[in-house]
Amino acid sequence: MAKKKKAVSNPVIATNRKARHDYKILETFEAGIVLVGTEVKSLREGKASLVDAFATIDDGEIWLRGLHIPEYSRGHWTNHSPKRTRKLLMHRREIDGLMGKVRDGNKTIVPLSLYFKEGKLKVELGLAQGKQDYDKREDIKRRTEEREITRQLGRRLKGISG
C-alpha cells in the first residue's frame, strides 16, 4: 500500500501590501525567525502585523524590528512582548551581500510577507528603494489603464458595445 503525500501549502499569515506601494522591490530573500513558544502559537492563530516592520543589520546579524505579534490569547505569565526585536536567520553570504547593498545608498530591507514553510515560520524580505510621489501616481495611472483595457477586451469578447 503506497503512502499518500500531504498537499503542501504555505499559508500566508501576514502581508505588507503598503511596502509594494511605497517601495520599488529590487530583490527578495527568504529568512527564518527566532521565536519563543507563545509567538508561534499566536501566529498559528493567524495574528500578526507587518505594517511598521523593517529589518536592520547590526554587527553582522540581521534583526526584524516593529513586527507586531499579539500576545497569545490562552497564555499567562510566559507571554511574549508584542513588538520585541527578533533575530532573522540567513546565510552569512546573504547577510554580507545585503549589508553591502544597503550601505551603498538609499536602499532598505522591508518584510513583505510571513508564512509557514514545512512547519517553520519564514519571512520574505525585499531589498527596496523608496518611491517618490510621482512614481506612485504613475503606478496608479498605469494600473487603471490596464484595468480599462481588460474591461474593453472583455466587453468585445462578450459582444457588448461600449
Side-chain angles (χ1 to χ4, degrees):
M1 185 178 203
K3 287 186 178 180
K4 288 185 179 179
K5 285 192 174 185
K6 281 187 176 179
V8 178
S9 66
N10 296 335
V12 175
I13 297 160
T15 57
N16 191 352
R17 292 183 0 205
K18 195 169 182 175
R20 294 196 188 271
H21 177 72
D22 291 341
Y23 299 99
K24 181 168 56 171
I25 307 301
L26 306 173
E27 275 183 81
T28 58
F29 301 91
E30 183 180 77
I33 307 178
V34 177
L35 298 171
V36 296
T38 54
E39 288 175 325
V40 176
K41 291 177 181 183
S42 185
L43 287 166
R44 292 219 183 265
E45 289 179 345
K47 299 176 181 175
S49 174
L50 287 170
V51 174
D52 296 325
F54 62 97
T56 58
I57 301 174
D58 303 324
D59 299 326
E61 294 180 335
I62 189 161
W63 298 87
L64 187 61
R65 302 177 191 282
L67 169 65
H68 184 269
I69 300 174
E71 289 185 346
Y72 181 53
S73 59
R74 290 184 286 281
H76 42 84
W77 62 270
T78 59
N79 255 337
H80 61 279
S81 61
K83 282 217 171 200
R84 74 178 188 90
T85 302
R86 295 164 178 92
K87 186 176 180 178
L88 296 180
L89 305 170
M90 291 178 78
H91 291 286
R92 168 66 43 214
R93 250 180 272 128
E94 290 177 317
I95 294 173
D96 291 342
L98 271 174
M99 193 178 346
K101 291 172 184 172
V102 169
R103 195 178 335 119
D104 285 347
N106 60 358
K107 292 182 185 76
T108 187
I109 306 167
V110 292
L112 301 174
S113 64
L114 278 174
Y115 55 92
F116 281 103
K117 182 177 180 181
E118 298 175 7
K120 293 176 177 53
L121 185 75
K122 301 290 183 179
V123 61
E124 182 183 19
L125 298 172
L127 180 66
Q129 189 169 12
K131 283 185 185 177
Q132 300 294 329
D133 285 339
Y134 59 84
D135 289 335
K136 293 176 191 177
R137 285 192 295 268
E138 284 293 320
D139 284 348
I140 292 169
K141 182 180 173 185
R142 182 181 43 80
R143 277 197 302 264
T144 54
E145 286 173 353
E146 287 174 359
R147 202 175 306 125
E148 256 325 292
I149 290 169
T150 54
R151 270 194 204 129
Q152 288 294 332
L153 288 173
R155 287 185 183 134
R156 278 194 187 150
L157 288 173
K158 291 177 185 174
I160 302 170
S161 63

PDB file of all heavy atoms in Angstrom, residues 3-31:
ATOM      1  N   LYS A   3       1.947   5.144   0.395  1.00  0.00           N
ATOM      2  CA  LYS A   3       1.579   6.247   1.273  1.00  0.00           C
ATOM      3  C   LYS A   3       1.191   7.459   0.439  1.00  0.00           C
ATOM      4  O   LYS A   3       1.818   7.750  -0.575  1.00  0.00           O
ATOM      5  CB  LYS A   3       2.744   6.621   2.178  1.00  0.00           C
ATOM      6  CG  LYS A   3       3.004   5.624   3.263  1.00  0.00           C
ATOM      7  CD  LYS A   3       4.071   6.147   4.188  1.00  0.00           C
ATOM      8  CE  LYS A   3       4.322   5.185   5.325  1.00  0.00           C
ATOM      9  NZ  LYS A   3       5.358   5.676   6.228  1.00  0.00           N
ATOM     10  N   LYS A   4       0.170   8.142   0.882  1.00  0.00           N
ATOM     11  CA  LYS A   4      -0.235   9.380   0.208  1.00  0.00           C
ATOM     12  C   LYS A   4       0.613  10.529   0.717  1.00  0.00           C
ATOM     13  O   LYS A   4       0.890  10.628   1.915  1.00  0.00           O
ATOM     14  CB  LYS A   4      -1.703   9.695   0.483  1.00  0.00           C
ATOM     15  CG  LYS A   4      -2.661   8.790  -0.223  1.00  0.00           C
ATOM     16  CD  LYS A   4      -4.077   9.270   0.023  1.00  0.00           C
ATOM     17  CE  LYS A   4      -5.067   8.388  -0.684  1.00  0.00           C
ATOM     18  NZ  LYS A   4      -6.442   8.837  -0.415  1.00  0.00           N
ATOM     19  N   LYS A   5       1.011  11.401  -0.195  1.00  0.00           N
ATOM     20  CA  LYS A   5       1.749  12.587   0.212  1.00  0.00           C
ATOM     21  C   LYS A   5       0.756  13.678   0.573  1.00  0.00           C
ATOM     22  O   LYS A   5      -0.271  13.838  -0.068  1.00  0.00           O
ATOM     23  CB  LYS A   5       2.659  13.083  -0.911  1.00  0.00           C
ATOM     24  CG  LYS A   5       3.878  12.237  -1.106  1.00  0.00           C
ATOM     25  CD  LYS A   5       4.861  12.932  -2.001  1.00  0.00           C
ATOM     26  CE  LYS A   5       6.142  12.151  -2.073  1.00  0.00           C
ATOM     27  NZ  LYS A   5       7.152  12.841  -2.842  1.00  0.00           N
ATOM     28  N   LYS A   6       1.097  14.410   1.610  1.00  0.00           N
ATOM     29  CA  LYS A   6       0.252  15.518   2.013  1.00  0.00           C
ATOM     30  C   LYS A   6       0.400  16.662   1.017  1.00  0.00           C
ATOM     31  O   LYS A   6       1.480  16.896   0.483  1.00  0.00           O
ATOM     32  CB  LYS A   6       0.655  16.036   3.400  1.00  0.00           C
ATOM     33  CG  LYS A   6       0.145  15.202   4.535  1.00  0.00           C
ATOM     34  CD  LYS A   6       0.445  15.896   5.837  1.00  0.00           C
ATOM     35  CE  LYS A   6      -0.133  15.141   6.998  1.00  0.00           C
ATOM     36  NZ  LYS A   6       0.178  15.796   8.266  1.00  0.00           N
ATOM     37  N   ALA A   7      -0.668  17.361   0.785  1.00  0.00           N
ATOM     38  CA  ALA A   7      -0.619  18.545  -0.074  1.00  0.00           C
ATOM     39  C   ALA A   7       0.146  19.632   0.679  1.00  0.00           C
ATOM     40  O   ALA A   7      -0.181  19.972   1.809  1.00  0.00           O
ATOM     41  CB  ALA A   7      -2.017  19.024  -0.410  1.00  0.00           C
ATOM     42  N   VAL A   8       1.171  20.158   0.059  1.00  0.00           N
ATOM     43  CA  VAL A   8       1.995  21.179   0.689  1.00  0.00           C
ATOM     44  C   VAL A   8       1.384  22.546   0.396  1.00  0.00           C
ATOM     45  O   VAL A   8       1.210  22.929  -0.750  1.00  0.00           O
ATOM     46  CB  VAL A   8       3.450  21.121   0.167  1.00  0.00           C
ATOM     47  CG1 VAL A   8       4.274  22.214   0.800  1.00  0.00           C
ATOM     48  CG2 VAL A   8       4.043  19.762   0.436  1.00  0.00           C
ATOM     49  N   SER A   9       1.044  23.246   1.452  1.00  0.00           N
ATOM     50  CA  SER A   9       0.536  24.600   1.279  1.00  0.00           C
ATOM     51  C   SER A   9       1.260  25.508   2.254  1.00  0.00           C
ATOM     52  O   SER A   9       1.563  25.118   3.379  1.00  0.00           O
ATOM     53  CB  SER A   9      -0.968  24.662   1.524  1.00  0.00           C
ATOM     54  OG  SER A   9      -1.243  24.374   2.871  1.00  0.00           O
ATOM     55  N   ASN A  10       1.575  26.688   1.814  1.00  0.00           N
ATOM     56  CA  ASN A  10       2.240  27.662   2.660  1.00  0.00           C
ATOM     57  C   ASN A  10       1.245  28.759   3.004  1.00  0.00           C
ATOM     58  O   ASN A  10       1.115  29.733   2.270  1.00  0.00           O
ATOM     59  CB  ASN A  10       3.460  28.263   1.941  1.00  0.00           C
ATOM     60  CG  ASN A  10       4.511  27.231   1.672  1.00  0.00           C
ATOM     61  OD1 ASN A  10       4.592  26.227   2.358  1.00  0.00           O
ATOM     62  ND2 ASN A  10       5.321  27.468   0.665  1.00  0.00           N
ATOM     63  N   PRO A  11       0.518  28.593   4.118  1.00  0.00           N
ATOM     64  CA  PRO A  11      -0.460  29.617   4.455  1.00  0.00           C
ATOM     65  C   PRO A  11       0.225  30.932   4.836  1.00  0.00           C
ATOM     66  O   PRO A  11       1.088  30.960   5.708  1.00  0.00           O
ATOM     67  CB  PRO A  11      -1.212  29.020   5.636  1.00  0.00           C
ATOM     68  CG  PRO A  11      -0.292  28.019   6.217  1.00  0.00           C
ATOM     69  CD  PRO A  11       0.570  27.532   5.103  1.00  0.00           C
ATOM     70  N   VAL A  12      -0.160  31.981   4.155  1.00  0.00           N
ATOM     71  CA  VAL A  12       0.397  33.306   4.436  1.00  0.00           C
ATOM     72  C   VAL A  12      -0.319  33.863   5.651  1.00  0.00           C
ATOM     73  O   VAL A  12      -1.543  33.887   5.720  1.00  0.00           O
ATOM     74  CB  VAL A  12       0.236  34.236   3.219  1.00  0.00           C
ATOM     75  CG1 VAL A  12       0.705  35.634   3.552  1.00  0.00           C
ATOM     76  CG2 VAL A  12       1.007  33.691   2.036  1.00  0.00           C
ATOM     77  N   ILE A  13       0.456  34.292   6.637  1.00  0.00           N
ATOM     78  CA  ILE A  13      -0.105  34.816   7.874  1.00  0.00           C
ATOM     79  C   ILE A  13      -0.353  36.312   7.753  1.00  0.00           C
ATOM     80  O   ILE A  13      -1.399  36.810   8.129  1.00  0.00           O
ATOM     81  CB  ILE A  13       0.836  34.522   9.058  1.00  0.00           C
ATOM     82  CG1 ILE A  13       0.948  33.024   9.229  1.00  0.00           C
ATOM     83  CG2 ILE A  13       0.343  35.174  10.324  1.00  0.00           C
ATOM     84  CD1 ILE A  13       2.140  32.589   9.984  1.00  0.00           C
ATOM     85  N   ALA A  14       0.641  37.021   7.201  1.00  0.00           N
ATOM     86  CA  ALA A  14       0.512  38.474   7.068  1.00  0.00           C
ATOM     87  C   ALA A  14       1.279  38.934   5.843  1.00  0.00           C
ATOM     88  O   ALA A  14       2.311  38.359   5.493  1.00  0.00           O
ATOM     89  CB  ALA A  14       1.053  39.160   8.314  1.00  0.00           C
ATOM     90  N   THR A  15       0.757  39.958   5.185  1.00  0.00           N
ATOM     91  CA  THR A  15       1.466  40.578   4.066  1.00  0.00           C
ATOM     92  C   THR A  15       1.583  42.067   4.324  1.00  0.00           C
ATOM     93  O   THR A  15       0.756  42.655   5.027  1.00  0.00           O
ATOM     94  CB  THR A  15       0.735  40.359   2.730  1.00  0.00           C
ATOM     95  OG1 THR A  15      -0.583  40.874   2.845  1.00  0.00           O
ATOM     96  CG2 THR A  15       0.701  38.914   2.337  1.00  0.00           C
ATOM     97  N   ASN A  16       2.593  42.655   3.753  1.00  0.00           N
ATOM     98  CA  ASN A  16       2.830  44.085   3.879  1.00  0.00           C
ATOM     99  C   ASN A  16       2.500  44.716   2.531  1.00  0.00           C
ATOM    100  O   ASN A  16       3.384  44.939   1.709  1.00  0.00           O
ATOM    101  CB  ASN A  16       4.281  44.334   4.280  1.00  0.00           C
ATOM    102  CG  ASN A  16       4.531  45.763   4.683  1.00  0.00           C
ATOM    103  OD1 ASN A  16       3.676  46.632   4.528  1.00  0.00           O
ATOM    104  ND2 ASN A  16       5.718  46.009   5.199  1.00  0.00           N
ATOM    105  N   ARG A  17       1.211  44.974   2.293  1.00  0.00           N
ATOM    106  CA  ARG A  17       0.782  45.491   0.991  1.00  0.00           C
ATOM    107  C   ARG A  17       1.296  46.904   0.763  1.00  0.00           C
ATOM    108  O   ARG A  17       1.560  47.300  -0.366  1.00  0.00           O
ATOM    109  CB  ARG A  17      -0.742  45.468   0.910  1.00  0.00           C
ATOM    110  CG  ARG A  17      -1.275  44.055   0.883  1.00  0.00           C
ATOM    111  CD  ARG A  17      -2.754  43.942   0.728  1.00  0.00           C
ATOM    112  NE  ARG A  17      -3.471  45.184   0.630  1.00  0.00           N
ATOM    113  CZ  ARG A  17      -4.734  45.359   0.945  1.00  0.00           C
ATOM    114  NH1 ARG A  17      -5.409  44.351   1.414  1.00  0.00           N
ATOM    115  NH2 ARG A  17      -5.327  46.505   0.810  1.00  0.00           N
ATOM    116  N   LYS A  18       1.446  47.654   1.830  1.00  0.00           N
ATOM    117  CA  LYS A  18       1.895  49.039   1.694  1.00  0.00           C
ATOM    118  C   LYS A  18       3.357  49.112   1.220  1.00  0.00           C
ATOM    119  O   LYS A  18       3.755  50.080   0.579  1.00  0.00           O
ATOM    120  CB  LYS A  18       1.737  49.759   3.026  1.00  0.00           C
ATOM    121  CG  LYS A  18       1.837  51.246   2.911  1.00  0.00           C
ATOM    122  CD  LYS A  18       1.414  51.925   4.175  1.00  0.00           C
ATOM    123  CE  LYS A  18       1.488  53.424   3.947  1.00  0.00           C
ATOM    124  NZ  LYS A  18       0.995  54.178   5.069  1.00  0.00           N
ATOM    125  N   ALA A  19       4.136  48.071   1.505  1.00  0.00           N
ATOM    126  CA  ALA A  19       5.542  48.068   1.113  1.00  0.00           C
ATOM    127  C   ALA A  19       5.678  48.133  -0.402  1.00  0.00           C
ATOM    128  O   ALA A  19       6.514  48.859  -0.929  1.00  0.00           O
ATOM    129  CB  ALA A  19       6.248  46.831   1.649  1.00  0.00           C
ATOM    130  N   ARG A  20       4.862  47.376  -1.119  1.00  0.00           N
ATOM    131  CA  ARG A  20       4.942  47.387  -2.583  1.00  0.00           C
ATOM    132  C   ARG A  20       4.433  48.694  -3.166  1.00  0.00           C
ATOM    133  O   ARG A  20       4.759  49.034  -4.288  1.00  0.00           O
ATOM    134  CB  ARG A  20       4.176  46.205  -3.161  1.00  0.00           C
ATOM    135  CG  ARG A  20       4.827  44.873  -2.785  1.00  0.00           C
ATOM    136  CD  ARG A  20       4.326  43.749  -3.652  1.00  0.00           C
ATOM    137  NE  ARG A  20       4.808  42.464  -3.167  1.00  0.00           N
ATOM    138  CZ  ARG A  20       5.961  41.915  -3.546  1.00  0.00           C
ATOM    139  NH1 ARG A  20       6.738  42.520  -4.395  1.00  0.00           N
ATOM    140  NH2 ARG A  20       6.324  40.742  -3.067  1.00  0.00           N
ATOM    141  N   HIS A  21       3.639  49.422  -2.397  1.00  0.00           N
ATOM    142  CA  HIS A  21       3.160  50.730  -2.845  1.00  0.00           C
ATOM    143  C   HIS A  21       4.216  51.814  -2.603  1.00  0.00           C
ATOM    144  O   HIS A  21       4.431  52.678  -3.448  1.00  0.00           O
ATOM    145  CB  HIS A  21       1.867  51.092  -2.111  1.00  0.00           C
ATOM    146  CG  HIS A  21       1.337  52.441  -2.443  1.00  0.00           C
ATOM    147  ND1 HIS A  21       0.759  52.724  -3.652  1.00  0.00           N
ATOM    148  CD2 HIS A  21       1.304  53.597  -1.732  1.00  0.00           C
ATOM    149  CE1 HIS A  21       0.392  54.001  -3.679  1.00  0.00           C
ATOM    150  NE2 HIS A  21       0.716  54.542  -2.521  1.00  0.00           N
ATOM    151  N   ASP A  22       4.868  51.751  -1.441  1.00  0.00           N
ATOM    152  CA  ASP A  22       5.824  52.793  -1.058  1.00  0.00           C
ATOM    153  C   ASP A  22       7.229  52.556  -1.575  1.00  0.00           C
ATOM    154  O   ASP A  22       8.024  53.494  -1.637  1.00  0.00           O
ATOM    155  CB  ASP A  22       5.886  52.905   0.466  1.00  0.00           C
ATOM    156  CG  ASP A  22       4.612  53.479   1.045  1.00  0.00           C
ATOM    157  OD1 ASP A  22       3.846  54.107   0.280  1.00  0.00           O
ATOM    158  OD2 ASP A  22       4.376  53.304   2.253  1.00  0.00           O
ATOM    159  N   TYR A  23       7.558  51.310  -1.919  1.00  0.00           N
ATOM    160  CA  TYR A  23       8.920  50.982  -2.332  1.00  0.00           C
ATOM    161  C   TYR A  23       8.929  50.235  -3.652  1.00  0.00           C
ATOM    162  O   TYR A  23       7.982  49.543  -3.991  1.00  0.00           O
ATOM    163  CB  TYR A  23       9.600  50.077  -1.287  1.00  0.00           C
ATOM    164  CG  TYR A  23       9.731  50.695   0.076  1.00  0.00           C
ATOM    165  CD1 TYR A  23       8.822  50.389   1.082  1.00  0.00           C
ATOM    166  CD2 TYR A  23      10.762  51.569   0.365  1.00  0.00           C
ATOM    167  CE1 TYR A  23       8.943  50.938   2.346  1.00  0.00           C
ATOM    168  CE2 TYR A  23      10.894  52.128   1.631  1.00  0.00           C
ATOM    169  CZ  TYR A  23       9.975  51.811   2.602  1.00  0.00           C
ATOM    170  OH  TYR A  23      10.098  52.363   3.845  1.00  0.00           O
ATOM    171  N   LYS A  24      10.039  50.366  -4.359  1.00  0.00           N
ATOM    172  CA  LYS A  24      10.287  49.540  -5.541  1.00  0.00           C
ATOM    173  C   LYS A  24      11.148  48.378  -5.052  1.00  0.00           C
ATOM    174  O   LYS A  24      12.256  48.577  -4.549  1.00  0.00           O
ATOM    175  CB  LYS A  24      11.023  50.360  -6.613  1.00  0.00           C
ATOM    176  CG  LYS A  24      11.293  49.576  -7.880  1.00  0.00           C
ATOM    177  CD  LYS A  24      11.754  50.456  -9.035  1.00  0.00           C
ATOM    178  CE  LYS A  24      12.966  51.272  -8.674  1.00  0.00           C
ATOM    179  NZ  LYS A  24      13.555  51.964  -9.804  1.00  0.00           N
ATOM    180  N   ILE A  25      10.622  47.149  -5.177  1.00  0.00           N
ATOM    181  CA  ILE A  25      11.321  45.964  -4.674  1.00  0.00           C
ATOM    182  C   ILE A  25      12.333  45.513  -5.720  1.00  0.00           C
ATOM    183  O   ILE A  25      11.970  45.174  -6.839  1.00  0.00           O
ATOM    184  CB  ILE A  25      10.324  44.830  -4.354  1.00  0.00           C
ATOM    185  CG1 ILE A  25       9.205  45.305  -3.421  1.00  0.00           C
ATOM    186  CG2 ILE A  25      11.052  43.628  -3.765  1.00  0.00           C
ATOM    187  CD1 ILE A  25       9.652  45.830  -2.091  1.00  0.00           C
ATOM    188  N   LEU A  26      13.614  45.502  -5.344  1.00  0.00           N
ATOM    189  CA  LEU A  26      14.689  45.144  -6.262  1.00  0.00           C
ATOM    190  C   LEU A  26      15.006  43.648  -6.218  1.00  0.00           C
ATOM    191  O   LEU A  26      15.261  43.043  -7.252  1.00  0.00           O
ATOM    192  CB  LEU A  26      15.947  45.958  -5.938  1.00  0.00           C
ATOM    193  CG  LEU A  26      15.748  47.477  -5.903  1.00  0.00           C
ATOM    194  CD1 LEU A  26      17.001  48.158  -5.405  1.00  0.00           C
ATOM    195  CD2 LEU A  26      15.360  47.993  -7.276  1.00  0.00           C
ATOM    196  N   GLU A  27      15.031  43.071  -5.020  1.00  0.00           N
ATOM    197  CA  GLU A  27      15.334  41.653  -4.834  1.00  0.00           C
ATOM    198  C   GLU A  27      14.519  41.132  -3.657  1.00  0.00           C
ATOM    199  O   GLU A  27      14.156  41.905  -2.774  1.00  0.00           O
ATOM    200  CB  GLU A  27      16.813  41.454  -4.472  1.00  0.00           C
ATOM    201  CG  GLU A  27      17.772  41.383  -5.617  1.00  0.00           C
ATOM    202  CD  GLU A  27      19.179  41.104  -5.112  1.00  0.00           C
ATOM    203  OE1 GLU A  27      19.477  39.919  -4.850  1.00  0.00           O
ATOM    204  OE2 GLU A  27      19.958  42.055  -4.977  1.00  0.00           O
ATOM    205  N   THR A  28      14.260  39.829  -3.633  1.00  0.00           N
ATOM    206  CA  THR A  28      13.585  39.240  -2.480  1.00  0.00           C
ATOM    207  C   THR A  28      14.442  38.118  -1.900  1.00  0.00           C
ATOM    208  O   THR A  28      15.180  37.449  -2.622  1.00  0.00           O
ATOM    209  CB  THR A  28      12.193  38.678  -2.848  1.00  0.00           C
ATOM    210  OG1 THR A  28      12.343  37.703  -3.863  1.00  0.00           O
ATOM    211  CG2 THR A  28      11.254  39.779  -3.310  1.00  0.00           C
ATOM    212  N   PHE A  29      14.331  37.941  -0.594  1.00  0.00           N
ATOM    213  CA  PHE A  29      15.069  36.925   0.136  1.00  0.00           C
ATOM    214  C   PHE A  29      14.121  36.243   1.103  1.00  0.00           C
ATOM    215  O   PHE A  29      13.113  36.820   1.506  1.00  0.00           O
ATOM    216  CB  PHE A  29      16.214  37.555   0.949  1.00  0.00           C
ATOM    217  CG  PHE A  29      17.207  38.309   0.113  1.00  0.00           C
ATOM    218  CD1 PHE A  29      17.045  39.664  -0.120  1.00  0.00           C
ATOM    219  CD2 PHE A  29      18.284  37.659  -0.448  1.00  0.00           C
ATOM    220  CE1 PHE A  29      17.959  40.366  -0.885  1.00  0.00           C
ATOM    221  CE2 PHE A  29      19.200  38.350  -1.212  1.00  0.00           C
ATOM    222  CZ  PHE A  29      19.036  39.711  -1.434  1.00  0.00           C
ATOM    223  N   GLU A  30      14.471  35.026   1.495  1.00  0.00           N
ATOM    224  CA  GLU A  30      13.692  34.295   2.488  1.00  0.00           C
ATOM    225  C   GLU A  30      14.570  34.085   3.711  1.00  0.00           C
ATOM    226  O   GLU A  30      15.747  33.746   3.594  1.00  0.00           O
ATOM    227  CB  GLU A  30      13.263  32.944   1.912  1.00  0.00           C
ATOM    228  CG  GLU A  30      12.400  32.145   2.849  1.00  0.00           C
ATOM    229  CD  GLU A  30      11.984  30.812   2.249  1.00  0.00           C
ATOM    230  OE1 GLU A  30      12.830  29.905   2.227  1.00  0.00           O
ATOM    231  OE2 GLU A  30      10.835  30.713   1.807  1.00  0.00           O
ATOM    232  N   ALA A  31      13.987  34.319   4.892  1.00  0.00           N
ATOM    233  CA  ALA A  31      14.745  34.153   6.133  1.00  0.00           C
ATOM    234  C   ALA A  31      13.868  33.492   7.181  1.00  0.00           C
ATOM    235  O   ALA A  31      12.643  33.637   7.166  1.00  0.00           O
ATOM    236  CB  ALA A  31      15.223  35.509   6.641  1.00  0.00           C
TER     237      ALA A  31
END
